[in-house]
């Protein structure tokens, strides 16, 4: 009430559900002499990475760059249809006769106030690709478009997509799709969104929601405009006047061209003839192609470009950068191969691994000056009903030493995308009456992620409680 009064006195009268932006939060905190910190560690990590892409000396030469977008959502909710509609209506139409070759991303012109602005779509819809990139430390996407079918509502993969976007600190725009269908009930979807903390803007919240028909193209322009507005608020900038760095989004071996890779330039401008290094691959840029297969001379910030000239196939999600000489490139590539080897050994030795046992021993030692540890949990269960039962039981455990944070609660077997989420958020995976298929287990082992599977709810609760109290015995 006091804060409302304060805001009112500053001419910012507001009602209950309205959200306030960071600057206003800072202003209030100054007034009440309270320090502001960003409490979500995954967000802080992402901000750090964003800073890493921009160097100190870039700050004087920053220019606007186009937003990079990813479409996510439950299977069959219309991700591909939406992408196809955008691609065919916006890209191919503007390029009569051009043959589009998939390079993993494409540039879309969007008319805003009569002017054409650019946005960039990543071509592989779905949170699996998003999670895999993030697990490699890549942060390419600026905005996530989450598609929810109006006749089906929020489903498990919708939740997973939202969890991935949130963990990455990426703003979300919701597209309620299939509004042309007979059974469409967009209001119910709005209610579901509100119930999981994504309050639609039209209801006073801060999540933009646009109702579309990807099949007919209805309101897709409005969706793109909304996305561009969100992008504008994000103040996306880079310095085009420097040597390039960015992320590999796709890579493979072409029969004729040799190793080919698609890069998204995140800072600087990539030019033909530049010497590049990405992970253990290096070389000189022999040719650059855009998504229409046209040869181009250069690619600036946010622009995807296919690159030929590397000596090896790099890995999607890895960074690339331009260096001054081939020798420097080879040196970096070798150093990278070495450190990869070290990481692998460390992961196998379980170094730095988050497990219930390591939590228990940290609690019992009372280590690291941290008063409260946080245990991040990805919870996979057999049926929706189990989620409520388990989270309720866990939430009532005393959280004096350890606070619990659920990154994702979702029905279904453990998947590699769950592991990726656990990697970036340093989480453990708890499963109740679900399986972790062999390849998923191997993947988890390689990434140093603990999966604990239970058949009895009380066993699960007991283990977590014991770990939180520092009492869990290590198991072999
Ligand atoms: P994805 O699995 O999310 O990529 O979903 P798809 O794009 O493959 O779409 C699944 C099915 O829904 C397809 O048969 C589409 O034709 C259909 N579909 C997608 N969008 C719409 C829409 O706006 N309206 C209607 N009526 N059908 C749609």
């Amino acid at each position: 009430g006091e804060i409302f009064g304060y805001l009112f006195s500053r001419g910012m009268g507001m009602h209950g559900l309205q959200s306030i932006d960071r600057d206003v939060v800072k202003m209030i905190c100054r007034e009440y002499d309270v320090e502001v910190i960003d409490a979500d560690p995954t967000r802080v990590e992402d901000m750090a990475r964003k800073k890493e892409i921009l160097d100190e000396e870039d700050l004087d030469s920053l220019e606007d760059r186009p937003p990079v977008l990813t479409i996510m959502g439950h299977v069959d909710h219309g991700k591909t249809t939406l992408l196809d509609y955008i691609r065919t209506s916006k890209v191919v139409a503007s390029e009569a006769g051009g043959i589009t070759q998939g390079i993993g991303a494409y540039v879309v012109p969007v008319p805003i106030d009569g002017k054409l602005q650019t946005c960039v779509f990543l071509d592989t819809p779905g949170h699996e690709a998003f999670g895999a990139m993030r697990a490699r430390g890549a942060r390419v996407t600026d905005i996530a478009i989450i598609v929810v079918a109006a006749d089906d509502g929020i489903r498990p993969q919708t939740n997973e997509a939202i969890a991935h976007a949130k963990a990455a600190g990426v703003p979300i725009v919701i597209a309620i799709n299939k509004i042309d269908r007979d059974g469409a009930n967009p209001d119910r979807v709005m209610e579901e969104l509100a119930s999981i903390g994504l309050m639609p803007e039209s209801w006073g919240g801060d999540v933009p929601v646009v109702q579309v028909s990807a099949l007919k193209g209805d309101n897709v322009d409005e969706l793109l405009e909304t996305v561009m507005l969100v992008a504008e608020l994000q103040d996306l900038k880079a310095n085009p006047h420097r040597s390039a760095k960015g992320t590999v989004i796709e890579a493979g071996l072409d029969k004729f061209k040799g190793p080919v890779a698609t890069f998204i330039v995140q800072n600087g401008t990539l030019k033909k003839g530049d010497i590049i290094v990405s992970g253990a691959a290096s070389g000189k840029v022999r040719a650059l192609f855009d998504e229409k297969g046209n040869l181009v001379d250069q690619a600036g910030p946010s622009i995807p470009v296919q690159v030929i000239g590397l000596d090896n196939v790099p890995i999607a999600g890895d960074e690339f950068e331009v260096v001054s000489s081939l020798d420097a490139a080879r040196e970096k590539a070798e150093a990278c191969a070495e450190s990869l080897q070290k990481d692998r050994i460390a992961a196998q030795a379980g170094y730095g691994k988050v497990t219930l046992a390591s939590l228990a021993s940290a609690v019992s030692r009372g280590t690291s000056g941290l008063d409260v540890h946080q245990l991040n949990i990805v919870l996979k269960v057999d049926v929706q009903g189990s989620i409520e039962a388990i989270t309720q039981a866990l939430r009532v455990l005393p959280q004096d030493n350890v606070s619990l944070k659920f990154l994702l609660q979702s029905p279904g077997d453990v998947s590699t995308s769950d592991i990726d989420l656990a990697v970036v958020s340093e989480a453990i995976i708890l499963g109740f009456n679900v399986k972790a298929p062999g390849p998923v287990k191997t993947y988890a082992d390689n990434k140093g992620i603990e999966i604990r599977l239970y058949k009895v709810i009380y066993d699960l609760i007991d283990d977590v409680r014991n770990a939180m109290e520092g009492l869990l015995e290590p198991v072999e």
Side-chain angles (χ1 to χ4, degrees):
E2 203 174 322
I3 291 174
F4 274 31
Y6 168 74
L7 288 174
F8 193 75
S9 74
R10 290 279 179 289
M12 289 183 285
M14 52 195 335
H15 54 83
L17 279 176
Q18 208 171 324
S19 61
I20 48 182
D21 70 29
R22 265 157 202 274
D23 289 335
V24 178
V25 171
K26 280 188 198 141
M27 187 180 86
I28 296 170
C29 292
R30 253 198 317 274
E31 173 71 18
Y32 288 95
D33 207 11
V34 174
E35 192 191 354
V36 201
I37 35 175
D38 212 319
D40 187 347
T42 52
R43 216 191 135 84
V44 173
E45 171 223 325
D46 271 307
M47 286 186 350
R49 164 136 174 110
K50 219 173 185 175
K51 259 198 216 120
E52 228 175 80
I53 286 194
L54 299 180
D55 294 331
E56 194 78 40
E57 62 259 36
D58 291 328
L59 299 181
D60 296 333
S61 327
L62 292 179
E63 292 178 18
D64 290 337
R65 65 170 178 83
V68 180
L69 318 168
T70 299
I71 297 181
M72 304 196 271
H74 196 73
V75 64
D76 279 348
H77 279 194
K79 300 181 290 295
T80 315
T81 310
L82 179 61
L83 258 164
D84 283 351
Y85 178 83
I86 292 168
R87 178 163 35 204
T88 50
S89 68
K90 304 287 171 195
V91 181
V92 180
S94 67
E95 206 29 49
I99 304 163
T100 320
Q101 65 167 45
I103 65 165
Y106 50 93
V107 177
V108 176
V110 186
I112 302 274
D113 299 334
K115 273 197 301 191
L116 275 189
Q117 292 191 18
T118 306
C119 61
V120 176
F121 274 85
L122 294 186
D123 205 357
T124 30
H127 58 278
E128 295 85 357
F130 183 85
M133 296 275 273
R134 283 254 305 145
R136 299 202 61 79
R139 209 266 202 198
V140 181
T141 303
D142 298 308
I143 297 167
I145 300 177
I146 301 210
V147 177
V148 190
D151 57 351
D152 201 22
I154 291 181
R155 300 294 308 278
Q157 288 160 22
T158 322
N159 279 321
E160 291 172 21
I162 292 168
H164 277 275
K166 277 191 173 168
V170 169
I172 291 171
V173 173
I174 303 280
I176 299 184
N177 188 30
K178 307 197 187 183
I179 50 163
D180 59 298
R181 280 236 168 131
D182 281 345
N185 189 351
D187 281 343
R188 197 190 50 143
V189 179
M190 302 270 273
E191 276 164 25
E192 287 178 347
L193 288 168
S195 76
I196 57 167
L198 294 178
M199 185 61 75
E201 261 177 0
S202 56
W203 289 9
D206 58 0
V207 179
V209 178
V210 185
Q211 302 187 7
V212 302
S213 166
L215 197 65
K216 301 192 162 168
D218 297 346
N219 283 351
V220 173
D221 280 346
E222 194 188 329
L223 175 66
L224 292 175
E225 280 165 28
T226 304
V227 165
M228 293 311 264
L229 275 178
V230 173
E232 222 173 274
L233 292 177
Q234 286 212 82
D235 205 19
L236 304 168
K237 298 212 185 296
N239 170 13
H241 314 287
R242 53 160 283 165
S243 58
K245 59 177 164 176
T247 299
V248 181
I249 57 164
E250 223 174 69
L253 199 57
D254 183 279
K255 249 192 298 189
F256 305 106
K257 300 175 179 166
V260 290
T262 301
F263 291 171
I264 285 220
V265 176
Q266 291 176 284
N267 197 15
T269 298
L270 182 66
K271 302 190 177 106
K272 194 179 161 198
D274 278 347
I275 292 160
I276 43 178
V277 54
S278 173
S282 63
K284 185 171 184 167
V285 177
R286 279 196 283 128
L288 295 170
F289 297 96
D290 67 11
E291 76 263 20
K292 292 154 212 141
N294 299 326
L295 269 172
V296 292
D297 292 330
Q298 58 179 49
S302 297
I303 301 301
V305 68
Q306 193 183 51
V307 179
I308 297 177
L310 287 165
D311 60 354
N312 276 305
V313 179
I315 300 170
D318 267 357
E319 262 177 53
F320 78 87
E321 65 175 318
V322 169
V323 293
S324 55
S325 70
L326 274 173
D327 283 343
R330 280 194 208 103
E331 218 168 272
K332 278 211 161 192
E334 275 163 28
C336 166
E338 249 172 55
S339 88
L340 270 181
Q341 183 66 15
K342 273 193 203 135
D343 285 353
R344 202 166 296 137
I345 292 167
Q348 276 162 5
Y351 176 75
K353 198 165 144 174
V354 182
T355 64
L356 280 192
S358 71
L359 174 72
S361 78
V363 170
S364 65
R365 289 196 310 268
T367 49
S368 72
L370 277 179
D371 294 334
V372 182
H373 301 266
Q374 177 170 304
L375 178 62
N376 293 333
I377 297 173
V378 172
L379 178 65
K380 297 301 297 252
V381 296
D382 49 354
V383 292
Q384 189 73 29
S386 308
I387 294 178
E388 195 65 359
I390 294 172
T391 51
Q392 282 301 333
L394 288 176
R395 285 214 168 98
V396 297
L397 297 177
Q399 308 207 0
D400 308 341
N401 298 325
V402 179
S403 71
L404 301 179
K405 179 170 174 190
F406 292 93
L407 299 170
L408 173 67
Q409 317 149 26
S410 169
D413 284 339
V414 181
S415 68
T416 51
S417 137
D418 298 329
I419 313 285
D420 289 334
L421 183 61
V423 169
V424 290
S425 313
E426 300 193 336
I428 65 160
I429 297 180
L430 299 178
F432 173 66
N433 273 340
V434 294
K435 292 197 272 299
V440 172
K441 255 205 106 309
T442 314
Y443 187 65
D445 288 344
N446 287 338
K447 298 273 179 187
I449 295 300
E450 180 175 49
I451 304 177
R452 280 178 171 252
L453 302 178
Y454 296 88
K455 294 228 169 304
V456 180
I457 287 191
Y458 294 104
D459 291 345
L460 186 158
I461 311 290
D462 262 1
D463 279 2
V464 175
R465 180 197 297 115
N466 286 336
M468 289 167 80
E469 290 170 359
L471 299 173
L472 191 79
E473 296 297 325
V475 279
E476 271 316 307

